Amino acid sequence: MQFGIFTVGDITPDPTTGRAPTEYERIKRLVEMALKAEEVGLDVFATGEHHNPPFMTSSPTTILGYIAARTSKILLSTSTTLITTNDPVKIAEDYATLQHLADGRIDLIMGRGNTGPVYPWFGKDIRDGIALAVENYALLRRLWREDVVDWQGRFRTPLQAFTSTPRPLDGVPPFVWHGSIRSPEIAEQAAYYGDGFFHNNVLLPIEHTRQMVDLYRTRFEHYGHGPADQAIVGLGGHVFMRRNSQDAIAEFRPYFDNSPAYGNGPSLEETMRYTPLVVGSPQEVIDTTLQFREHFGHYQRQLFNVDGMGLPHKAVLENIEMLGEEVVPVLRKEFAAVRPAHIPDPPTHESLKAARA
């Protein structure tokens, strides 16, 4: 399995001090998170794409390209690449370039984006979100797999004898995960192509996530890509750790209560009961994550959100250290001990290149 961290890159005031980091500080701290993740032995660092406040991650390829130059092992990904409001030609070019710069250490999680006002900024309508995701991704796949493309669709100007440059590294496109929280159409799309399906189950009950993952697995088998338990599944989660639960809960509560995502909703304790949010000790994170296999079957990627909501950068780095030094080594051992031999590993550039050869 792959274990890593993801960020959405929000700029939020610390509720205990009232101070928000500057954009400069937040961008630099995001890079430090990635470097710390590699230092402690995590497998993946992922950042989202947003074009509206309070987020600053409008250019993930720029951020990941800089991180690629500062790292050598960690796989770099996106927790969202907006397949709806981005031109698929630009996605093909940007991420192929990044793939070369990172020596293949790159993949993508495609997402629709659920912020309505952003769509018209890029000349789109959020009511076309599903149709845009389907058509744009169909074109993106062709751009990466065909040297010369003729194309005519609904949402962009036609292409005639078009070649996207640079071509994917070693002739192998970056692996794609289709990310969705609510839309079965996206699980269907991932299954149709035999791509990965990433369910960022941070805010929703386990039963909903199970239904989405089961749908993807069933349709993956239906389309002839292999047995359902060989489908490529990724999951998200949100953690905050201290040595004992009481300290973790006391420290995290003001950030939870003032969070745009969590605040003014169910209590911290109730949210921890019905979602994957874990606020407690490293052992509690281990115990909760191991239960994911029982709910969703064997899967390939687990990403944790450890920042945002105004959390102090020092606490974020401490949580990354605990993940790398105390949590993930145990998870690797426990998951591997019960993992059947026929369950596939998460795709990497090298494995995809070998399969192509």
Side-chain angles (χ1 to χ4, degrees), residues 16-289:
T16 67
T17 66
R19 183 184 183 279
T22 65
E23 292 174 326
Y24 174 86
E25 290 172 328
R26 191 71 170 96
I27 291 171
K28 289 291 189 177
R29 290 171 181 178
L30 190 148
V31 174
E32 291 176 14
M33 289 170 57
L35 299 181
K36 176 62 70 173
E38 177 168 273
E39 176 188 324
V40 300
L42 299 184
D43 303 306
V44 182
F45 173 81
T47 181
E49 178 186 352
H50 296 278
H51 297 274
N52 56 296
F55 306 102
M56 54 76 189
T57 48
S58 59
S59 182
T61 51
T62 304
I63 292 172
L64 293 177
Y66 182 78
I67 293 171
R70 301 281 304 277
T71 57
S72 60
K73 297 179 181 178
I74 196 163
L75 193 153
L76 305 174
S77 188
T78 57
S79 48
T80 308
T81 294
L82 297 178
I83 190 62
T84 47
T85 51
N86 279 312
D87 182 356
V89 172
K90 198 69 171 72
I91 294 177
E93 295 172 339
D94 284 352
Y95 284 93
T97 302
L98 179 57
Q99 189 190 33
H100 284 269
L101 289 171
D103 299 319
R105 295 183 290 124
I106 183 71
D107 64 24
L108 298 85
I109 300 177
M110 295 291 181
R112 289 188 295 125
N114 59 5
T115 307
V118 174
Y119 277 72
W121 297 346
F122 293 89
K124 309 299 181 184
D125 188 327
I126 194 171
R127 292 171 294 185
D128 295 324
I130 294 292
L132 280 163
V134 171
E135 180 177 299
N136 285 352
Y137 184 63
L139 174 54
L140 176 61
R141 282 184 64 88
R142 290 190 59 191
L143 291 169
W144 273 340
R145 288 165 173 80
E146 301 175 25
D147 290 337
V148 180
V149 173
D150 293 314
W151 169 268
Q152 185 167 349
R154 175 183 169 192
F155 295 109
R156 76 170 324 279
T157 53
L159 298 173
Q160 295 181 344
F162 179 79
T163 299
S164 174
T165 59
R167 306 304 298 145
L169 178 64
D170 301 317
V172 178
F175 184 74
V176 169
W177 307 75
H178 298 259
S180 180
I181 298 176
R182 291 173 294 273
S183 303
E185 297 93 339
I186 302 304
E188 175 79 14
Q189 182 183 40
Y192 176 79
Y193 289 111
D195 294 337
F197 178 62
F198 189 89
H199 195 277
N200 190 12
N201 52 327
V202 172
L203 298 173
L204 293 173
I206 285 174
E207 183 55 36
H208 172 82
T209 303
R210 182 188 292 118
Q211 291 174 358
M212 291 286 284
V213 171
D214 285 350
L215 170 63
Y216 162 66
R217 290 188 184 278
T218 300
R219 300 301 288 171
F220 181 94
E221 182 171 314
H222 168 80
Y223 287 117
H225 300 299
D229 63 354
Q230 292 187 346
I232 308 299
V233 174
L235 298 173
H238 195 164
V239 299
F240 184 83
M241 291 176 285
R242 287 298 183 228
R243 291 299 164 197
N244 63 70
S245 299
Q246 293 80 6
D247 290 343
I249 289 173
E251 186 174 343
F252 187 73
R253 191 180 298 279
Y255 299 94
F256 176 92
D257 289 344
N258 289 274
S259 164
Y262 291 118
N264 301 312
S267 68
L268 172 58
E269 288 75 11
E270 184 178 358
T271 301
M272 286 195 289
R273 281 195 295 271
Y274 75 81
T275 78
L277 172 65
V278 185
V279 181
S281 67
Q283 187 60 52
E284 287 174 298
V285 174
I286 291 168
D287 293 341
T288 298
T289 306

